[in-house]
Amino acid sequence: LVLRRGHRARSGASIRDHLDPRVRVVEVNGWFSARGVARAIDEFRPDVVHGHLRKSTRLLAERPPPCPTIATLHMWVNGPHFLAMDGLIVIAEWQKRDLVGYRGRVFDINESLVPAERLSAEAVARLRAELGAGPSDVLIRAFLDANLPDAKLAIVGDGRERSRLERLAGGRVRFTGFRNDVKACYQAFDLFVSPSRSEPLGRVLFEALDAGTPVLATATQGPSEVLRRFPGRLVPIDDVAAMSTALRELAAARPPRVRPDLGAYH
């Protein structure tokens, strides 16, 4: 595995902490040094090379190694270098629209899901209290515009937009920051909302469904595909009024917790 030296996030998280000890790791200088990547390939002499995301795939296209190359389409084909790979992995059917005329091999895989450990009722109650929700709350995840007086909104995670969103929220929303127990959090939610403007697939949907949590999502690429097979509700992208209406209706109806069979993704 080739990584740039500054691969840790601000929270300190890194894929390196989760690797099997048999995985050899090479760290290269800069954002992702072409010379360092080429040297690592020359020294390791792999049978196949996988390019992760745009930068590494572009480097492989510019300096093809003496072995087959493959990349995974996490989004769409956002550069001609992807089409220079010998093989492409797709995680959703809609991605194949960009591959008309592609001469390499296309591999379909399901998104991966490790089922979460089931929490006791006491553990769920403790987690809800930590996230700011009392026992009478209708929703934990809700948008401000839904104007549900008993609802709490919890945003789990961190990123560049956090400061701006905190100013926008004005204290009515709980920002938890990075957490290692995010899969447990789903079990404490009454509703999971994915408000993305673009969502190629959305592992978060599978994690919510695995917890039995009702799902509300925008009609982006992945959720539109996933929620044809599993329970959930879609609203148009960037339509605040439609999402507010959906939140009010779901708060009133209180949909049951249902865990569909996700074995194909384990």
Side-chain angles (χ1 to χ4, degrees):
L1 177 64
V2 182
L3 299 173
R4 64 182 179 89
R5 290 246 162 87
H7 54 81
R8 291 193 178 275
R10 286 185 301 173
S11 62
S14 171
I15 189 175
R16 186 157 196 172
D17 301 330
H18 303 277
L19 297 176
D20 187 284
R22 293 171 295 179
V23 176
R24 177 182 169 187
V25 177
V26 177
E27 294 188 0
V28 297
N29 290 325
W31 194 90
F32 208 57
S33 164
R35 183 178 300 175
V37 172
R39 183 164 53 246
I41 292 174
D42 289 342
E43 292 176 356
F44 192 67
R45 299 176 65 188
D47 297 305
V48 63
V49 176
H50 179 275
H52 181 66
L53 300 181
R54 186 164 45 188
K55 178 69 182 288
S56 57
T57 305
R58 187 168 64 246
L59 292 179
L60 292 177
E62 293 172 353
R63 294 191 181 190
C67 65
T69 56
I70 194 167
T72 300
L73 290 180
H74 291 261
M75 301 192 298
W76 43 87
V77 177
N78 54 355
H81 41 279
F82 283 100
L83 302 179
M85 299 295 100
D86 297 300
L88 289 173
I89 297 170
V90 299
I91 56 176
E93 285 296 314
W94 69 265
Q95 294 172 314
K96 294 180 181 178
R97 294 184 223 138
D98 292 341
L99 300 180
V100 176
Y102 171 60
R103 296 182 180 181
R105 294 184 62 184
V106 177
F107 303 87
D108 291 270
I109 66 169
N110 283 332
E111 178 62 284
S112 60
L113 172 70
V114 177
E117 178 184 356
R118 302 303 159 200
L119 301 181
S120 66
E122 294 78 11
V124 170
R126 287 195 301 270
L127 189 52
R128 285 175 62 88
E130 181 185 340
L131 295 172
S136 62
D137 288 335
V138 177
L139 294 172
I140 294 177
R141 298 191 63 95
F143 288 112
L144 299 176
D145 296 275
N147 198 27
L148 298 168
D150 294 327
K152 301 290 183 183
L153 169 62
I155 297 180
V156 180
D158 208 346
R160 292 173 292 184
E161 293 291 301
R162 179 172 176 175
S163 296
R164 184 181 67 82
L165 293 175
E166 284 179 325
R167 291 193 298 271
L168 178 66
R172 293 182 58 197
V173 179
R174 177 70 179 273
F175 290 81
T176 73
F178 176 81
R179 295 180 65 114
N180 284 311
D181 64 343
V182 65
K183 287 188 180 179
C185 292
Y186 290 102
Q187 297 178 58
F189 294 159
D190 297 302
L191 176 70
F192 172 72
V193 181
S194 174
S196 303
R197 293 186 175 92
S198 177
E199 186 64 71
L201 191 65
R203 181 177 296 184
V204 289
L205 268 67
F206 292 102
E207 292 175 344
L209 291 167
D210 176 60
T213 307
V215 171
L216 171 64
T218 46
T220 44
Q221 306 97 321
S224 295
E225 190 171 308
V226 172
L227 296 185
R228 284 201 301 267
R229 303 193 295 270
F230 301 107
R233 179 164 174 174
L234 292 170
V235 295
I237 300 168
D238 264 339
D239 192 330
V240 174
M243 180 164 281
S244 296
T245 298
L247 288 170
R248 293 189 191 99
E249 291 175 355
L250 290 168
R254 296 302 295 263
R257 302 186 75 87
V258 177
R259 290 183 56 210
D261 181 4
L262 299 171
Y265 299 88
H266 289 179

